[in-house]
Amino acid sequence: MDAQQLKGHLDLLLLASLEQGPRYGGQIIADVQAATDGYFALREGTLYPALHRLEKQGFLQGEFQVLPRGGSPVKVYTLTPSGQAELRAQRERYEHFTRAVRGVIGGKA
């Protein structure tokens, strides 16, 4: 994994991972890793500060819940309406960026 590539797209990856429904940190890590065939293997030290920042920005809502499997409560994150709008905006910017890069390096858009 290239940390610099992740740095510029982490928020987009996290918002998109929550589009399918509420998730806690471990689920987000697993979902992103599975969706990227292991290319992005998020670490807790990267994930949780980003989730907290997105929550403070109003894009996510976190709530502690006890999972059906039991154990200690975990913080489950849900995309807010503001987060859904931000996800749409970030997707649009990413698509524009991708088209621009493809214009330079070639290949199928």
Side-chain angles (χ1 to χ4, degrees):
M1 171 177 64
D2 184 336
Q4 289 295 55
Q5 285 180 328
L6 177 61
K7 187 176 182 181
H9 304 290
L10 179 60
D11 289 1
L12 175 59
L13 294 173
L14 297 179
L15 293 171
S17 74
L18 290 167
E19 186 175 35
Q20 301 304 315
R23 303 273 191 277
Y24 61 90
Q27 288 174 309
I28 295 169
I29 289 171
D31 289 351
V32 169
Q33 189 167 3
T36 63
D37 292 326
Y39 187 78
F40 290 121
L42 300 177
R43 296 198 169 136
E44 290 181 4
T46 300
L47 177 69
Y48 288 106
L51 289 173
H52 294 162
R53 180 177 38 75
L54 290 168
E55 186 177 18
K56 282 184 181 180
Q57 291 173 317
F59 299 143
L60 307 178
Q61 180 177 353
E63 179 182 329
F64 283 97
Q65 298 178 8
V66 175
L67 300 178
R69 68 172 192 230
S72 299
V74 296
K75 195 166 190 180
V76 175
Y77 295 90
T78 304
L79 205 55
T80 64
S82 177
Q84 292 169 347
E86 178 65 14
L87 175 56
R88 284 190 299 276
Q90 286 201 26
R91 273 194 176 125
E92 187 176 310
R93 287 191 302 267
Y94 180 78
E95 292 301 325
H96 182 75
F97 171 79
T98 301
R99 284 191 304 274
V101 170
R102 288 276 178 218
V104 175
I105 67 171
K108 193 173 183 178

